[in-house]
Amino acid sequence: MKQWEKNIRQVTPYIPGEQPKMEQVVKLNTNECPYPPSPMVAQAVAKMDCGKFRLYPDPEVSELVGAIAEYEKVPTERVFVGVGSDDVLGMAFLTFFNDTKPVLMADVTYSFYDVWANLFHIPFETVPLNEQLEIEPEDYFKENGGVVFPNPNAPTAIAMPLSSVEKIIENNQDVVVIVDEAYIDFGGQSALRLTEKYDNLLVVRTFSKSRAMAGMRIGYAVGSEKLICAMKAVKFSYNSYTMNQAAIEAGVAAIRDDDYFKKIVGKIVETREQAKKKLTELGFSVTDSKTNFLFATHQTMAAEAIFEQLKERNIFVRYFKKERIDNYLRITIGTEKEMEILYDALREILS
Ligand code: PMP
């Protein structure tokens, strides 16, 4: 090994879901929205003045921050935006988790959390979910350097009631608590209003799922002025221009079209409830999803085998070869037509 090679940072990166290159696939593996974004987004993109791309974008991202602040009914000083919620979460880890005590996270949760912790040399401890794969608030009532969890949790799809979320925050007022609400719009109870009561609470959201904008990379956080100010200081110590001009304009258009947002979320929830029934009829057990995906295990056939056989038919779902969940499939809710193709394939595979 050469001398310089010894100085290379050793990391085990996060593995994103596959983005197959061929067309004609049923893609239910990365929790994207099966519908296009609001037509207002297409209009905003068509009207975009490319001459503006010559200039650096507004480093404060005032237009998008303003639109989000108005939508969430909070002052602009309490909003932080980033390149997808991954960027916002990564920045939050870097800003808030600086203790020698471990950050608490579930053993089965979003698999980026431990990657960031390792990257930033943040000590962490995984807290097992209970037998029903739920977060037990009481398990988080102990000394720690911070707490992070998604609500609803991923990939389990299970939501915690707001009272339980508040219990965790109430018992952890000496550290920053991050609630990742990537999937909240599909039926969970948001903790956003609790940011008025707890100045150590950061709620993180994304445009990638319920607003059908995964490709634009827009995420945001709402917290106390103190938290947001600290995150901005870290951001401006790293990259002043995280948000590009096109994403800013498209993001503003997306958040202003609330009717369309409600319409597509409603459709996905309806398809999800139908999918729960269909999969149950096919011999699966599914958790009570409050997200845009299902977490399912089959009574007789191994998840990995189903995953492989679906893939052979160009149907992509997600499979995690990980302790406790290696017999589960995570299936994104697609259009009704895509789901019909899935049910037909499953009937064939399971027969
Ligand atoms: N949090 C959770 C729980 C997720 O599942 C995802 C999607 N991979 C994200 C955050 C990040 O999404 P994005 O960066 O697209 O906002």
Side-chain angles (χ1 to χ4, degrees):
M1 198 189 263
K2 289 185 181 162
Q3 195 56 37
W4 59 265
E5 285 179 284
K6 292 189 186 136
N7 288 334
I8 291 177
R9 191 179 286 269
Q10 296 301 314
V11 289
T12 310
Y14 169 77
I15 305 164
E18 201 175 339
Q19 294 291 2
K21 299 285 180 294
M22 66 273 206
E23 290 181 12
Q24 300 296 328
V25 299
V26 176
K27 194 172 178 306
L28 308 174
N29 67 334
T30 47
N31 297 344
E32 290 144 326
C33 177
Y35 304 109
S38 152
M40 310 284 252
V41 172
Q43 273 179 31
V45 170
K47 278 199 305 202
M48 224 166 257
D49 170 13
C50 296
K52 268 198 207 162
F53 294 172
R54 184 176 64 80
L55 304 172
Y56 283 106
D58 167 17
E60 294 286 345
V61 206
S62 314
E63 221 187 315
L64 181 59
V65 165
I68 293 169
E70 192 184 318
Y71 180 82
E72 300 292 10
K73 301 184 177 60
V74 294
T76 52
E77 293 76 16
R78 301 219 288 110
V79 177
F80 179 90
V81 292
V83 188
S85 56
D86 280 341
D87 180 42
V88 176
L89 287 162
M91 209 57 79
F93 271 54
L94 193 55
T95 309
F96 302 121
F97 296 160
N98 286 292
D99 209 313
T100 50
K101 287 178 226 152
V103 164
L104 302 181
M105 59 181 79
D107 63 338
V108 177
T109 193
Y110 184 33
S111 49
F112 222 137
Y113 299 155
D114 58 348
V115 173
W116 286 312
N118 285 322
L119 176 65
F120 301 139
H121 299 157
I122 300 164
F124 67 94
E125 188 183 318
T126 54
V127 182
L129 299 180
N130 69 17
E131 284 299 305
Q132 290 74 47
L133 298 177
E134 297 157 341
I135 292 176
E136 288 283 358
E138 290 75 14
D139 295 344
Y140 293 77
F141 300 173
K142 57 180 171 187
E143 281 247 302
N144 64 67
V147 178
V148 59
F149 58 90
N151 192 42
N153 194 9
T156 64
I158 299 170
M160 240 193 299
L162 188 58
S163 54
S164 300
V165 172
E166 183 162 9
K167 259 198 221 165
I168 296 180
I169 304 161
E170 221 171 11
N171 284 276
N172 283 287
Q173 296 191 45
D174 292 336
V175 295
V176 172
V177 177
I178 302 176
V179 182
D180 175 357
E181 294 193 339
Y183 302 101
I184 198 72
D185 296 320
F186 301 102
Q189 293 173 284
S190 174
L192 197 131
R193 297 268 70 95
L194 291 180
T195 59
E196 282 147 25
K197 189 167 166 192
Y198 301 97
D199 61 2
N200 62 319
L201 167 65
L202 190 79
V203 172
V204 179
R205 294 268 184 91
T206 180
F207 278 43
S208 298
K209 321 290 177 186
S210 52
R211 291 181 200 279
M213 300 272 277
M216 268 293 169
R217 311 305 301 127
I218 305 170
Y220 63 99
V222 174
S224 63
E225 240 184 277
K226 261 193 198 158
L227 292 188
I228 299 304
C229 191
M231 283 184 79
K232 282 188 192 164
V234 170
K235 176 204 133 156
F236 282 110
S237 308
Y238 183 71
N239 178 4
S240 316
Y241 306 108
T242 49
M243 306 299 291
N244 69 68
Q245 188 61 33
I248 295 171
E249 292 181 30
V252 169
I255 201 142
R256 292 208 173 131
D257 194 352
D258 207 35
D259 289 345
Y260 182 83
F261 160 77
K262 287 190 177 126
K263 195 171 98 185
I264 60 169
V265 166
K267 250 162 118 175
I268 292 166
V269 169
E270 198 183 307
T271 311
R272 177 189 74 202
E273 293 309 308
Q274 206 171 38
K276 280 183 190 169
K277 283 191 206 134
K278 291 270 186 189
L279 290 191
T280 309
E281 282 164 22
L282 286 164
F284 285 92
S285 305
V286 291
T287 59
D288 182 23
S289 169
K290 293 280 186 268
T291 63
N292 67 338
F293 60 89
L294 294 180
F295 199 51
T297 183
H298 196 263
Q299 285 158 9
T300 53
M301 191 164 179
E304 193 172 11
I306 302 173
F307 165 77
E308 293 295 349
Q309 292 197 37
L310 284 173
K311 200 166 162 179
E312 278 168 23
R313 290 166 170 79
N314 280 350
I315 301 170
F316 288 73
V317 299
R318 192 89 196 256
Y319 171 71
F320 300 94
K321 209 176 181 70
K322 247 176 125 170
E323 221 180 309
R324 288 192 85 182
I325 57 167
D326 59 0
N327 203 23
Y328 282 85
L329 296 174
R330 193 196 69 185
I331 305 169
T332 305
I333 303 301
T335 59
E336 271 172 26
K337 193 171 158 209
E338 286 172 322
M339 298 310 280
E340 289 298 336
I341 296 171
L342 171 77
Y343 309 142
D344 286 346
L346 285 173
R347 251 176 239 121
E348 229 178 81
I349 292 166
L350 296 163
S351 67

